[in-house]
Amino acid sequence: MSAAAAATGASPVRDAVEWRLAAPLGLTYVVFFAAPFLILLGISFYADAEQTRLGFDSWVKFYTDAFYLKVIFDTLKLGVFAVVATTILAYPLALVFRASSSRMQRVLIFIILMPLLTSVVIRTFAWIVILAREGVINQTLMGLGLTATPLNLLQTELGLVLALTQIEMPLMLLPLLAIMNQLDQNLIDASRALGASKWRTFFRVILPLTLPGWIAGATLVFASATTAFISQSVIGGARLVYLPALIWQQSMVVYNWPFAAVASLTLLFTVLTGIMALSWLGRFARTT
Amino acid sequence: MASQQTATVQAAQPLTLDGVTHSYGTGFAVDNVTLEVKGGELVALLGPSGCGKTTLLRIVAGFISQTNGKVIIGDRSIDELPPNRREIGIVFQNYALFPHMTVAENIAYGLAARGESRAVQADRVAEMLATVRMEGFADRKPRQLSGGQQQRVALARALAIRPRILLLDEPFAALDKNLRLDMQIEIKRLQRQFSLTAIMVTHDQDEAMSIADRIAVMSHGKIEQLGSPVEIYDEPATLFVNNFIGSSNLLKGRVEAIGPEGYRVALESGAVWKLTSKGRFEAGAPVLVSVRPEQMVLADEAAPDRLPVALKLSLPIGGALIHDATAAGGEAMKIAMPRRPGALSTGPGTAFAALAPHARPSLFPAASS
Ligand SMILES: Nc1ncnc2c1ncn2[C@@H]1O[C@H](COP(=O)(O)OP(=O)(O)OP(=O)(O)O)[C@@H](O)[C@H]1O
Ligand SMILES: [Mg+2]
C-alpha cells in the first residue's frame, strides 16, 4: 500500500515539466521576436512617416491602394506557384526514390541536398546566367531554332518561379521522401491486387498517406518562397514587386517606417494564412 | 442465407505453377517450382524462413515477375496480366488494411476500383461483414480493431471482389493461440463456402496439418515434397521433410539383408528391425532409421528387436508421458507413451525401446562414413 501511495504521490513531481529548461530560448524569443513585433505593431499606428501623429492612415493607405493589394496578391500567388511546381516535380521523384535500392537512395539524397551546400545568393546568380537573354536557355532554344529572338525570362514571374522551384526543392523533398520511404509496400500491393490501377493506387492510397509529409514540405516552400527577398529582387528585378522588396524600399529608401511596418505585418499574415490553410488541409489527412 | 447462394455459383479454377523460377540477382529464391492446385483446394506452403514462400506468393499475385516459368489459372497463362487484372484475393501477414479508410471503405475498395455502383458496393459490404461476422464495425477505422477483427476485415476485403484465387501469407502469425484456432476454422469455412482455390504460406506445421488439403514442403526455393498432411507426416520423402515435420528419432544402422517383405536393418545401438521402405537400398548400405516418438514403446526385458536406452527424464505432457533417453550409440531419443491416470514422471534408469505394433519407421540413406 505504501509503495503504491508513494508512487502516485511521486508521479506529479516526476511528470511536472521543467519549464526552466526552455528559459534561454524563451528569453531570446521575448527579446528578439516578441518585443520587436510589438514595437512594429506600435509603429504601424503612426499616421505619418515622421511618426508624429497616431492614426490608421498607413493601414488605410495600404489596403485601399490597388498597387499594394496587387503586391499582396502577387506574393501569395508566387508562394502558391512555388508550392505547385515543387509538388509536381517532387512526387514523381519521391516515387522513384521509394523504388530505388538503398545505395541509389544515398546517391539521390546527396544530389538533392547538394544545392543546400551552396548559398542562396550564389544559386540565384547562377539562375541569372541560365535565364538571361544570352543565357543557357535562350542559347539552346535559338540553337535548336525553336525561337528567333531570345525569350524574356529574367524579370518575369515564370523565370522567378523556375528559379525558386530549384532553390526550394530540398524543402519539399526531404519531408516527402521521409514519409514516402515509410509507406508500407503491402498497402500498395493490396490496392493493386484489389483491382486498382497505378493511378488509382496513387490517388487513393499513396497520396492520402503521404499528405502529412507534403504538408510539411509545402509549408516550408510557401513560407520561404513568399519571403525570398534575394531571389525575388535579383531575378524579379524592379519590374516585379513583392512584399519583402516593398518593406525594404519603404524602410531603407523612403524611410516611411509606419508604412513599412504595415507591409511587414501584412507579409507575416500572408505567410500565416498560407500555413493555416495547409494545416487545415492536414486535418483531413488522418492517416491512422 | 443469401450470401451462401450467391457465393457458390462460380466454379473453382485450378492454379498451376509450371517450372517457376525466380532470382533476385544472386542464387534462386524460387527454383523450378511446379505445382498444381486443384479447383477448390487449399495447399499450404510450408518451409523454414527464407525458403522462398513469400516470393512464390508475390509471383502468383503479380507483384514481381518471375525469371522463368509460367503461372496458369484455369487454362490461361496470367503472366502478362498486371496485378490489378488477375482477380486474386490476397491477405497479408500484417493485414495491410488502408489506415485512412473505414472498415466499410476498405471492403468496398476493390468494388469501387471495378466501377461498381454505390448500391452494389453497399450491398456487398453488408454481405461480407455478415460473412465474417463483423456487422457492427462498418464505420470503425482499422486501428480501432483488435488483431483478429483486422484479420476478418482483411479477409472480407479480399473476398469482396469474388477472387478466383485466394493467397494467404502467414495469416495467423500475429494472432495468439486461441484466436489462431478460431481464425483457422473461419478461413477453412470461408474457403469452402466460396469454393476458393487457395495457397496459404506458413511456417507452422500444425497449422498446415490442420487446415490444408495438401502440403508443399519447401526448402531452398524447391518443393521437397507435395502430399496430403498424413502422407507428409507418415511417409516423408526426404530427411529434410522428416526433420521439419513433427519430431522424430534418428537411429544409425546398416542394411543387413534384403528379404521379400523388406529390409533387415541392424541398428548401431543394438537392435535388429525388419522394415519396409519405398526407397531402394543395397545390402550393407548405411541408413538412418526415423521413428516418431509415439511409435515407440518401452519394455523392461531385453530382446533382439529392442534397443537398450538410458532414461534421463520423463515428463508428463497432457495425456502422454515423454521419456527423454539416450541410445547405446549415443543418439538422443524421445519416446512418447500414453500416460496411465495417476502415473507420475519416473526417474533415471535403464529400459529397452521397441517399435510399437503400428509403427512405420522411415528409412533414409546415410552419408557413408
Ligand atoms: N526484395 C528482395 N531482394 C533480394 N532478395 C530477396 C528479396 N526478397 C527476398 N529475398 C531473398 O529471397 C529468399 C526468399 O525470401 P522469401 O521472402 O520468399 O522467404 P520466405 O520463405 O517468405 O521466408 P519467411 O518465412 O521468413 O517469410 C531469401 O533468401 C531472401 O533473402
Ligand atoms: Mg515470408
Side-chain angles (χ1 to χ4, degrees):
Chain A
M1 174 235 143
S2 60
T8 43
S11 68
V13 178
R14 221 186 310 144
D15 286 350
V17 178
E18 191 48 271
W19 291 107
R20 277 170 293 186
L21 288 175
L25 191 62
L27 222 64
T28 317
Y29 260 69
V30 169
V31 174
F32 294 103
F33 181 75
F37 177 78
L38 289 175
I39 294 170
L40 196 69
L41 195 65
I43 291 177
S44 76
F45 290 110
Y46 281 109
D48 54 343
E50 290 73 36
Q51 301 179 33
T52 53
R53 255 176 338 103
L54 288 178
F56 292 100
D57 301 39
S58 304
W59 285 94
V60 173
K61 187 180 154 210
F62 194 92
Y63 280 95
T64 50
D65 189 323
F67 173 77
Y68 297 121
L69 290 179
K70 185 167 183 306
V71 171
I72 299 175
F73 178 75
D74 284 349
T75 309
L76 268 172
K77 198 168 72 170
L78 184 67
V80 170
F81 280 175
V83 167
V84 170
T86 48
T87 302
I88 291 172
L89 292 174
Y91 255 105
L93 182 57
L95 290 174
V96 169
F97 181 82
R98 195 190 141 71
S100 304
S101 68
S102 58
R103 224 182 79 205
M104 190 64 205
Q105 288 194 347
R106 278 198 295 277
V107 173
L108 283 172
I109 281 281
F110 179 73
I111 294 172
I112 289 161
L113 287 182
M114 214 149 51
L116 290 183
L117 305 177
T118 331
S119 106
V120 180
V121 181
I122 294 173
R123 278 184 282 162
T124 301
F125 279 99
W127 272 102
I128 291 186
V129 177
I130 297 169
L131 298 173
R133 290 184 73 80
E134 55 289 336
V136 180
I137 291 185
N138 276 319
Q139 295 277 324
T140 311
L141 288 179
M142 293 199 304
L144 290 172
L146 292 173
T147 173
T149 51
L151 297 180
N152 223 352
L153 290 170
L154 272 183
Q155 307 196 5
T156 65
E157 196 172 39
L158 176 66
L160 182 54
V161 170
L162 264 176
L164 281 178
T165 302
Q166 188 268 331
I167 290 168
E168 317 288 12
M169 202 58 182
L171 301 180
M172 173 61 89
L173 274 172
L174 290 179
L176 195 59
L177 295 184
I179 199 162
M180 192 62 94
N181 234 11
Q182 286 164 13
L183 189 63
D184 180 5
Q185 179 64 34
N186 284 350
L187 293 174
I188 296 169
D189 289 342
S191 166
R192 300 281 284 136
L194 286 166
S197 63
K198 285 183 174 165
W199 284 103
R200 193 179 180 91
T201 301
F202 177 76
F203 284 108
R204 297 298 164 95
V205 176
I206 299 175
L207 189 62
L209 291 178
T210 53
L211 210 51
W214 177 81
I215 286 170
T219 305
L220 293 172
V221 169
F222 183 83
S224 50
T226 45
T227 56
F229 175 62
I230 296 170
S231 308
Q232 287 170 1
S233 328
V234 174
I235 297 174
R239 286 242 305 258
L240 300 172
V241 183
Y242 298 98
L243 282 169
L246 186 70
I247 296 164
W248 176 78
Q249 180 217 11
Q250 289 295 322
S251 59
M252 309 309 280
V253 181
V254 186
Y255 285 110
N256 188 345
W257 280 33
F259 204 70
V262 170
S264 297
L265 292 166
T266 302
L267 177 59
L268 188 65
F269 293 137
T270 305
V271 174
L272 277 180
T273 310
I275 291 174
M276 272 159 62
L278 284 166
S279 62
W280 174 78
L281 244 179
R283 292 207 330 219
F284 294 98
R286 293 229 183 79
T287 53
T288 49
Chain B
M1 258 194 281
S3 62
Q4 269 165 353
Q5 281 162 13
T6 48
T8 44
V9 286
Q10 221 177 357
Q13 302 208 33
L15 168 68
T16 311
L17 306 182
D18 184 7
V20 172
T21 298
H22 187 77
S23 165
Y24 286 109
T26 53
F28 291 118
V30 170
D31 190 357
N32 195 14
V33 166
T34 297
L35 169 66
E36 191 181 334
V37 186
K38 298 187 205 98
E41 187 186 32
L42 194 162
V43 167
L45 289 182
L46 182 61
S49 193
C51 71
K53 307 180 295 289
T54 298
T55 305
L56 198 55
L57 224 55
R58 294 177 63 80
I59 289 171
V60 175
F63 303 142
I64 45 183
S65 49
Q66 67 269 31
T67 319
N68 233 319
K70 277 196 289 226
V71 181
I72 300 156
I73 297 180
D75 47 16
R76 225 178 115 215
S77 164
I78 57 165
D79 294 325
E80 300 305 315
L81 293 179
N84 54 325
R85 306 258 316 278
R86 293 195 174 192
E87 291 173 63
I88 288 177
I90 179 161
V91 176
F92 295 88
Q93 181 176 338
N94 64 355
Y95 314 134
L97 295 174
F98 303 124
H100 55 305
M101 298 181 194
T102 63
V103 166
E105 287 166 342
N106 264 282
I107 297 175
Y109 188 89
L111 302 167
R114 282 170 172 67
E116 300 280 7
S117 72
R118 298 227 161 226
V120 170
Q121 290 181 31
D123 283 354
R124 188 76 60 81
V125 167
E127 178 200 324
M128 293 319 302
L129 284 173
T131 308
V132 297
R133 305 186 184 123
M134 290 278 294
E135 286 95 338
F137 296 87
D139 296 324
R140 296 257 193 116
K141 286 284 181 70
R143 81 190 130 90
Q144 298 168 312
L145 301 175
S146 73
Q149 291 167 339
Q150 290 185 29
Q151 159 86 276
R152 281 162 203 269
V153 175
L155 254 172
R157 182 179 71 176
L159 295 178
I161 60 168
R162 300 269 192 267
R164 302 188 283 181
I165 308 287
L166 181 64
L167 303 177
L168 304 150
D169 191 358
E170 308 211 23
F172 312 111
L175 303 179
D176 63 43
K177 212 171 172 180
N178 288 331
L179 198 54
R180 214 175 243 234
L181 194 61
D182 286 350
M183 285 312 299
Q184 285 168 5
I185 296 169
E186 184 86 6
I187 285 194
K188 191 72 196 162
R189 175 178 74 83
L190 291 171
Q191 186 250 335
R192 288 250 171 88
Q193 179 185 332
F194 289 82
S195 73
L196 279 165
T197 308
I199 296 185
M200 180 183 82
V201 163
T202 177
H203 51 227
D204 179 341
Q205 43 157 315
D206 294 333
E207 191 170 290
M209 301 288 269
S210 58
I211 73 169
D213 297 313
R214 283 192 297 162
I215 297 176
V217 183
M218 285 185 71
S219 157
H220 297 292
K222 285 194 168 79
I223 293 187
E224 289 266 327
Q225 187 176 6
L226 176 67
S228 71
V230 171
E231 276 166 22
I232 299 264
Y233 189 84
D234 291 345
E235 297 163 36
T238 64
L239 198 55
F240 173 84
V241 176
N242 179 80
N243 294 346
F244 192 73
I245 307 280
S247 58
S248 62
N249 300 305
L250 285 179
L251 301 167
K252 287 190 217 109
R254 195 168 285 278
V255 176
E256 252 191 6
I258 307 170
E261 69 264 32
Y263 300 96
R264 207 171 75 201
V265 177
L267 299 178
E268 277 183 16
S269 40
V272 176
W273 285 347
K274 286 213 182 70
L275 304 169
T276 54
S277 173
K278 282 183 183 163
R280 299 191 127 286
F281 300 93
E282 304 286 320
V287 289
L288 279 173
V289 181
S290 161
V291 202
R292 302 284 182 196
E294 70 276 8
Q295 298 188 353
M296 299 197 82
V297 290
L298 286 176
D300 293 330
E301 289 115 47
D305 63 346
R306 295 176 185 170
L307 54 121
V309 293
L311 293 180
K312 287 192 295 194
L313 193 66
S314 306
L315 297 171
I317 296 180
L321 201 53
I322 311 287
H323 302 278
D324 189 7
T326 313
E331 299 104 328
M333 294 179 66
K334 283 202 172 53
I335 299 161
M337 286 165 65
R339 187 171 61 89
R340 255 170 278 128
L344 296 171
S345 51
T346 56
T350 310
F352 299 91
L355 291 176
H358 55 86
R360 279 225 307 242
S362 308
L363 273 184
F364 299 103
S368 48
S369 45

